[in-house]
Amino acid sequence: MKFFIDTANLDQIKEAQDLGVLDGVTTNPSLMAKEGIKGKNNILKHYVDICNIVDGDVSAEVIATDFEGMVKEGEELSELHNQIVVKVPMIKEGVKAIKYFSDRGIRTNCTLVFSAGQALLAAKAGATYVSPFIGRLDDISTDGLELISDIRLIYDNYDFDTQILAASVRHTMHVIHCAKIGADVMTGPLSSIEGLLKHPLTDSGLKQFLEDYKKGN
Ligand code: G3P
């Protein structure tokens, strides 16, 4: 299972990278705005800065919602760095753009996916990744994890290569459930990764070991 971090915060990206378990980064326009990154040139530079910190894939989202605009932006983004994956929304023009990029070897992440039908369409168009937003489904009393299971079943039925990127992960249990279901990738905040470390028996056991060592030395 790949671990991506869902942020545009360079310090958090470095921290996750230093842990040695980071496989990539996802961003979106809201996450860029949260870090105060504004204006096209600053945004493009920020993507390159992120690529220079991590070894894996970095999703960079198009803003255009028409086919020509998405193609223009996506080609520009993909030329920035070989780690860039073009993030395209699940709309009609987006499906066409994913097919266009796929035919030309440009990798894509189909975002804002909330149903199995949308995920099927993304795979048919040749998306590299599909991003079902599980936290946002949970927010409206719909089971986000059930969607991950449904997509896993559909993709396995037909051997689709598209990787399931569980997005809008909010906490550690989302990560564990996604791993049990077989999501290829999860993207979440640093806290969802660091939460995996925690167990009170680890802390109390280590405390005891260190105390016993001190007694004998
Ligand atoms: O990866 C998608 C993500 O950025 C959305 O997360 O927490 O805003 O639903 P959230």
Side-chain angles (χ1 to χ4, degrees), residues 6 26 28 31 87 111 131 133 135-136 139 167-170 187:
D6 194 30
T26 50
N28 62 40
L31 294 171
K87 206 170 182 186
T111 190
S131 285
F133 278 29
R136 292 194 190 184
D139 286 344
S168 185
V169 159
R170 301 273 174 78
T187 191

Side-chain angles (χ1 to χ4, degrees), residues 48-92:
V48 175
D49 290 344
I50 294 173
C51 290
N52 289 334
I53 296 172
V54 298
D55 299 323
D57 290 347
V58 175
S59 288
E61 189 158 341
V62 298
I63 303 300
T65 53
D66 62 301
F67 173 76
E68 285 77 15
M70 286 191 216
V71 164
K72 187 168 174 285
E73 276 182 43
E75 285 179 334
E76 191 173 1
L77 287 169
S78 73
E79 280 164 17
L80 272 183
H81 199 286
N82 60 12
Q83 286 167 239
I84 292 283
V85 174
V86 181
K87 206 170 182 186
V88 180
M90 172 36 80
I91 55 176
K92 195 171 180 180

Side-chain angles (χ1 to χ4, degrees), residues 19-193:
L19 193 57
V21 298
L22 191 66
D23 301 298
V25 177
T26 50
T27 63
N28 62 40
S30 304
L31 294 171
M32 293 297 260
K34 196 174 161 195
E35 299 307 318
I37 315 297
K38 291 177 193 158
K40 187 180 167 188
N41 289 344
N42 290 331
I43 290 172
L44 296 184
K45 181 185 172 303
H46 202 73
Y47 286 137
V48 175
D49 290 344
I50 294 173
C51 290
N52 289 334
I53 296 172
V54 298
D55 299 323
D57 290 347
V58 175
S59 288
E61 189 158 341
V62 298
I63 303 300
T65 53
D66 62 301
F67 173 76
E68 285 77 15
M70 286 191 216
V71 164
K72 187 168 174 285
E73 276 182 43
E75 285 179 334
E76 191 173 1
L77 287 169
S78 73
E79 280 164 17
L80 272 183
H81 199 286
N82 60 12
Q83 286 167 239
I84 292 283
V85 174
V86 181
K87 206 170 182 186
V88 180
M90 172 36 80
I91 55 176
K92 195 171 180 180
E93 297 292 287
V95 173
K96 291 183 201 167
I98 289 168
K99 173 70 177 145
Y100 174 94
F101 291 132
S102 163
D103 287 347
R104 286 156 184 80
I106 294 174
R107 293 173 311 137
T108 54
N109 174 357
C110 181
T111 190
L112 289 166
V113 166
F114 294 94
S115 75
Q118 290 178 325
L120 179 57
L121 211 44
K124 287 285 293 173
T128 313
Y129 297 102
V130 66
S131 285
F133 278 29
I134 61 175
R136 292 194 190 184
L137 282 169
D138 290 354
D139 286 344
I140 57 158
S141 309
T142 303
D143 190 350
L145 291 166
E146 196 178 323
L147 175 59
I148 302 293
S149 299
D150 287 347
I151 300 171
R152 182 74 284 156
L153 177 68
I154 291 168
Y155 283 9
D156 288 351
N157 279 348
Y158 298 99
D159 282 334
F160 281 120
D161 291 332
T162 302
Q163 295 178 55
I164 303 172
L165 196 173
S168 185
V169 159
R170 301 273 174 78
H171 50 72
T172 298
M173 284 313 293
H174 269 156
V175 180
I176 293 167
H177 286 307
C178 283
K180 286 167 80 172
I181 293 165
D184 301 288
V185 192
M186 79 85 200
T187 191
L190 183 60
S191 58
S192 67
I193 298 174

